[in-house]
Amino acid sequence: WFSRETPRARFIAAISEQCMSKSKGDTPQGWECADPIAVAIALRPHLVLESKQVFCEVEVQGQCTRGMSVYDHKGASKQRPNLQLVTALDTPA
């Protein structure tokens, strides 16, 4: 959708340019734009193909990170899930 010639696509591309350039190669799929994805899911929940319930908390006292969301994918914390994590989304090719 970044390549679309619409005012919204140009706006998202412009405000995301720095993040995209800094994270090139971080994931096999490329940069994942979390905020627009969250809005898309809120407006069109049928786009969610797969999700799972996990426990998540924000790390605020760590030595290696601060303000990072930490997800317990394997249930090791024994905490009750508090988040539905989307793992696959229906997007145009």
Side-chain angles (χ1 to χ4, degrees):
W1 46 269
F2 275 112
S3 62
R4 294 191 178 152
E5 286 299 319
T6 66
R8 288 182 182 139
R10 285 191 292 276
F11 172 74
I12 292 295
I15 65 170
S16 304
E17 185 177 353
Q18 186 175 7
C19 289
M20 287 190 312
S21 65
K22 286 185 177 184
S23 64
K24 277 194 183 222
D26 284 353
T27 66
Q29 301 85 3
W31 183 65
E32 296 168 351
C33 190
D35 293 338
I37 290 171
V39 171
I41 292 168
L43 295 175
R44 298 187 177 157
H46 65 275
L47 294 175
V48 175
L49 298 177
E50 295 175 17
S51 66
K52 62 182 181 178
Q53 295 288 324
V54 298
F55 175 73
C56 176
E57 65 183 335
V58 178
E59 177 60 67
V60 294
Q61 297 177 9
Q63 293 179 344
C64 297
T65 185
R66 181 167 177 83
M68 182 178 185
S69 298
V70 179
Y71 303 94
D72 182 3
H73 292 273
K74 297 181 180 181
S77 69
K78 306 289 189 230
Q79 297 286 330
R80 192 170 124 191
N82 60 356
L83 176 87
Q84 183 168 345
L85 180 65
V86 174
T87 56
L89 193 64
D90 185 13
T91 59

